Amino acid sequence: MSIKKIAVLGTGANGAGIGADLARAGVDVTFIEQWPENVEAIRADGVHVKTPYDATTTSVRALHLCEVATLREQFDLVFLLVKAYDTRWACELIKPYVKSDGMVVGLQNGMTVDDVLDVFGPARTLGAVIEVCAAMYVPGLVERHTPASESWFALGGVTPEAHERAPEVAEILRHAGAVEVVDDIRSAKWMKLAVNAGELVPSAIVNLPLLQAAKLPGMHDFMIRAGKEAIRAAIGLGHQVVPIFGIDAIDPEDPEGFVDVMLDAVYRKWSGPETRTTVLQDWLKNRHCEVNEVNGLVVSANKTLGGTCPVNSRTVEIAHQIERGELEAGPENAVLLVGT
Ligand SMILES: NC(=O)C1=CN([C@@H]2O[C@H](COP(=O)(O)OP(=O)(O)OC[C@H]3O[C@@H](n4cnc5c(N)ncnc54)[C@H](OP(=O)(O)O)[C@@H]3O)[C@@H](O)[C@H]2O)C=CC1
Ligand SMILES: CC(C)(CO)C(=O)C(=O)O
């Protein structure tokens, strides 16, 4: 195994939970994080991870972003778990501290594989699909609804050279969940984007845990329509409808129907009664969310393809109104969405 030193850049809900799994397995892992109180809490007390089954505390080395310039070593592998919109600058920040043959993996929603690739080149980039359900509301404390035994990842390179490195990275990531190495990571990421298009922002717009949001009149159908618009965009861009979450249930006569299967799996396996999506967590912390990198990507793909996607367009519009402070997130917004 040539991978020895690992950095997790972005140690919020998922970064801290995954990083703690690696540290507990004896991997040499360094956390790098921009939330100052989070770094301080981890330094003082370790990372606390609460799952439905247990609670652990793990000591890890944690650095503030401003301390990156003090690093004297270089990393063999970087897992990026900043929000998708922070990917590009985070890659530039860490680039001098990654070995010339080191790999960088965006364990994120959205098509961040292309941002990483722009900075590190195709040979050093792996794309990933991440399905881990977690939240961090308090610095240093991860509420991980799906522990490693219930978490799932896909990994893949976009060139044969990078793809060859995927099994080695997968071996490390398996400390945090099941990992599949897949041949067409861009298509796999578009499948995740399709399910994200339905669940993440719409449930945040109504300010409810995902399972409660889906029960509002018309909302489940709206989520499915959002996902189907994304699948059509993916196909239009030349991607394939491929299995994710370890579920191979694609009907060649009805590829868009895979959205129903994926959303059902998220409801059953990756959401608890209190699960607020990563987008709602951002809004609850007064932070910007990944709407442009998820629904916005469907909208821009449709623009390129000359089609329309009213459901995703409406989602982006309402999310922007909320982020500008013109509208408050709340269940009453369901009518604004489903009336589309
Ligand atoms: N949480 C979940 O259940 C799931 C999340 N994902 C994806 O995983 C990726 C990481 O998401 P997740 O771990 O949820 O994100 P978090 O917001 O919990 O953490 C990501 C980063 O957000 C920043 N951050 C978070 N809270 C604060 C705060 N209060 N003050 C300052 N900075 C803060 C930090 O840096 P920075 O701002 O630089 O990003 C942190 O490193 C995303 O792409 C997400 O879509 C995928 C599946 C499920
Ligand atoms: C698992 C879930 C619903 C948790 O927030 C999520 O954010 C995702 O599917 O990307």
Side-chain angles (χ1 to χ4, degrees):
M1 162 81 51
S2 62
I3 296 174
K4 300 227 174 332
K5 288 194 93 53
I6 298 177
V8 179
L9 177 45
T11 58
N14 276 339
I18 292 165
D21 282 344
L22 301 190
R24 274 202 308 282
V27 175
D28 177 349
V29 58
T30 301
F31 283 21
I32 302 171
E33 168 66 8
Q34 76 146 347
W35 183 5
E37 293 85 351
N38 192 19
V39 175
E40 292 305 323
I42 292 171
R43 279 180 174 170
D45 279 329
V47 194
H48 302 290
V49 182
K50 259 179 37 191
T51 78
Y53 315 104
D54 63 7
T56 53
T57 300
T58 309
S59 296
V60 286
R61 177 191 190 203
L63 300 181
H64 293 281
L65 283 190
C66 61
E67 292 171 324
V68 167
T70 67
L71 280 166
R72 291 294 168 263
E73 73 265 43
Q74 288 190 311
F75 297 104
D76 300 299
L77 173 64
V78 178
F79 287 125
L80 278 178
L81 286 111
V82 293
K83 284 284 157 60
Y85 49 76
D86 286 328
T87 305
R88 202 170 275 270
W89 68 256
C91 284
E92 294 290 358
L93 172 84
I94 202 67
K95 195 174 178 186
Y97 308 97
V98 186
K99 287 187 182 155
S100 57
D101 63 347
M103 300 298 288
V104 180
V105 188
L107 287 180
Q108 301 152 302
N109 286 327
M111 295 305 290
T112 59
V113 59
D114 292 311
D115 298 313
V116 179
L117 191 148
D118 276 352
V119 178
F120 284 94
R124 298 169 68 197
T125 300
L126 290 176
V129 179
I130 171 169
E131 196 57 348
V132 175
C133 183
M136 184 185 266
Y137 299 107
V138 174
L141 174 60
V142 180
E143 294 172 28
R144 185 153 168 191
H145 306 296
T146 56
S149 57
E150 296 168 9
S151 298
W152 184 89
F153 304 90
L155 282 182
V158 292
T159 62
E161 198 183 349
H163 202 61
E164 259 179 35
R165 305 283 306 277
E168 197 185 353
V169 174
E171 208 179 311
I172 290 165
L173 192 56
R174 283 198 183 101
H175 295 300
V179 185
E180 280 181 37
V181 173
V182 299
D183 289 336
D184 184 352
I185 191 64
R186 280 206 181 93
S187 292
K189 281 186 76 59
W190 262 98
M191 296 306 105
K192 180 68 200 293
L193 194 128
V195 71
N196 281 157
E199 53 164 348
L200 294 185
V201 182
S203 65
I205 285 175
V206 297
N207 194 11
L208 286 174
L210 177 59
L211 294 179
Q212 289 181 39
K215 289 205 176 98
L216 293 179
M219 275 294 282
H220 173 76
D221 284 351
F222 180 88
M223 292 175 179
I224 294 289
R225 285 168 61 206
K228 290 188 174 180
E229 286 181 357
I231 295 269
R232 282 198 286 281
I235 294 172
L237 293 174
H239 300 296
Q240 311 296 316
V241 177
V242 294
I244 63 167
F245 303 157
I247 304 172
D248 192 354
I250 297 161
D251 177 356
E253 303 296 316
D254 175 26
E256 290 173 23
F258 193 43
V259 170
D260 298 84
V261 176
M262 290 188 289
L263 191 54
D264 177 61
V266 168
Y267 289 164
R268 282 185 298 105
K269 296 168 78 173
W270 286 286
S271 310
E274 298 306 320
T275 297
R276 291 170 174 80
T277 67
T278 186
V279 167
L280 185 50
Q281 292 173 45
D282 281 329
W283 285 352
L284 292 171
K285 293 188 214 167
N286 255 324
R287 293 173 59 77
H288 171 57
C289 82
E290 293 173 314
V291 63
N292 294 342
E293 290 71 23
V294 176
N295 307 88
L297 204 65
V298 179
V299 174
S300 60
N302 266 284
K303 237 181 221 157
T304 310
L305 296 165
T308 59
C309 53
V311 168
N312 281 279
S313 300
R314 189 83 187 114
T315 303
V316 171
E317 211 178 293
I318 295 176
H320 285 173
Q321 283 174 1
I322 290 172
E323 291 202 345
R324 286 196 299 265
E326 295 164 8
L327 184 73
E328 235 177 83
E332 62 284 0
N333 295 332
V335 289
L336 297 177
L337 286 170
V338 304
T340 306

